[in-house]
Amino acid sequence: MDQPVAATPRLRPMSLGDMFDAAFRLYRQHFLTFIGITALLYVPVAILQLGLQLGYGSGALENWMRFATRPPTLLPGQSIFDVMPLGEILTFIGLSMGLGVLQFLLVQNLITGALANAVARSYTGQPVSILDAYRLGWRRFLSLIGASLATLAIGMVALTVIFGCTFGLAFVLLGSATGSRSSSAGVLAGVAVALAMLGLLLLLGLASLFFYTRLIVTTQAIVLEDRGPLSGLGRSWRLISGSFWRTLAIAVLMYILAYIIAGIPSALVSFVLQLLSANSLGAIMRNQAIVTLVATLGQIVILPLQLVIFTLLYYDLRVRKEGYDLELIAQSQQVTAP
């Protein structure tokens, strides 16, 4: 178990440089604890993914490729569906999707919640350990899952609206071009549809970036203030208000750092394996498993640093907007007063 850093929390408004300096210092000081919190659940899930890909997926895909390249001769009364290895592929897809849902809803929320708890305890001078970090309570854990589902639902609704408007516009433009005898009208309609699709992609990217930035401290609000899912989302929205561009700069810097630590190594490993390996299904599946392992290791390293930064951002916003440092000092003086 790590020892307390200080007896009294020292919270203050921080510049971007101060925040990243404090984050790296805190990350180095509790490196093994933070890595252990992340690896405790990430490693078993990674082992399940590798086992699924190499143990079951490789055989299922090999049987499917064999069927696709050399279809068997059908006996009298047989149909193509009787000999098609469709069940293995569907089982593999179903297991992969189930594992993805497990990782998204359960594992990711448990890890981020535990990390936020551990970072907050270490930053405010309290002892922290791997198992203590996971003692969030069912209410907070369920609130984290609810916030993830609510965010996903909001994204799906926004995506449906944007796609509906875009395809509606494309339908109108192409319909008017079809009714026109001018070839130039068809060209203009095609260009307009292409521009509309590009606008869709740009709008989706900007909307995703906006909502991600405004909801970036939802985990901290739920874990550290014991809020419900919608209350946690609203709390993050209000805290980021007035600090959007500063928060966006922090998010972009963290994305770049995550790409350097996790993205580039996995991309390089994938490129080298493609050059050195044979072009066979077994080699492709093996290479994919290795790339997945490298990417997982990168995530284990970068995720704690992200949570350190975002938790420090949460405290910084509370200090700036609510005088949270003065509140803690007052509470400490009340406790120690004779």
Side-chain angles (χ1 to χ4, degrees), residues 37-254:
I37 292 171
T38 309
L40 183 64
L41 295 183
Y42 247 130
V43 170
V45 172
I47 293 174
L48 287 176
Q49 288 178 332
L50 291 176
L52 181 61
Q53 290 179 3
L54 296 177
Y56 188 85
S58 179
L61 291 177
E62 186 175 353
N63 292 335
W64 179 263
M65 292 299 296
R66 187 183 300 112
F67 170 82
T69 55
R70 297 189 300 273
T73 302
L74 297 179
L75 298 176
Q78 278 188 330
S79 67
I80 190 67
F81 294 102
D82 294 330
V83 296
M84 181 184 297
L86 190 59
E88 293 182 346
I89 293 296
L90 292 179
T91 301
F92 175 64
I93 294 175
L95 290 174
S96 299
M97 292 180 62
L99 192 58
V101 171
L102 174 69
Q103 183 171 3
F104 173 72
L105 286 180
L106 301 181
V107 175
Q108 192 73 16
N109 281 307
L110 264 176
I111 292 176
T112 55
L115 283 172
N117 186 24
V119 173
R121 291 174 62 87
S122 60
Y123 185 58
T124 54
Q126 304 175 55
V128 58
S129 68
I130 295 176
L131 295 181
D132 286 339
Y134 277 99
R135 293 192 175 97
L136 302 174
W138 278 106
R139 184 182 183 279
R140 292 176 182 176
F141 177 50
L142 294 177
S143 295
L144 291 172
I145 294 178
S148 296
L149 291 175
T151 305
L152 181 62
I154 294 172
M156 293 300 295
V157 170
L159 187 65
T160 301
V161 171
I162 294 174
F163 265 109
C165 294
T166 303
F167 282 106
L169 176 62
F171 179 78
V172 171
L173 292 175
L174 292 177
S176 62
T178 303
S180 176
R181 296 181 178 180
S182 173
S183 60
S184 60
V187 174
L188 290 176
V191 172
V193 170
L195 291 177
M197 297 302 292
L198 289 176
L200 165 68
L201 295 177
L202 179 61
L203 185 59
L204 283 176
L206 292 176
S208 301
L209 189 61
F210 175 77
F211 279 100
Y212 173 77
T213 303
R214 291 300 296 264
L215 303 177
I216 204 169
V217 293
T218 299
T219 298
Q220 286 73 17
I222 290 175
V223 172
L224 304 181
E225 299 182 27
D226 196 17
R227 291 177 176 267
L230 297 182
S231 177
L233 292 170
R235 174 65 165 159
S236 176
W237 192 275
R238 292 189 298 272
L239 281 175
I240 301 300
S241 177
S243 302
F244 176 81
W245 295 109
R246 180 168 173 268
T247 305
L248 178 61
I250 293 173
V252 171
L253 289 174
M254 283 308 307

Side-chain angles (χ1 to χ4, degrees), residues 6-36:
T8 303
R10 296 179 180 179
L11 303 180
R12 59 181 177 82
M14 292 183 289
S15 65
L16 287 183
D18 292 337
M19 188 176 298
F20 276 87
D21 180 67
F24 280 109
R25 185 169 59 251
L26 196 64
Y27 182 66
R28 289 195 305 268
Q29 189 172 4
H30 302 279
F31 177 77
L32 293 180
T33 301
F34 292 159
I35 292 295

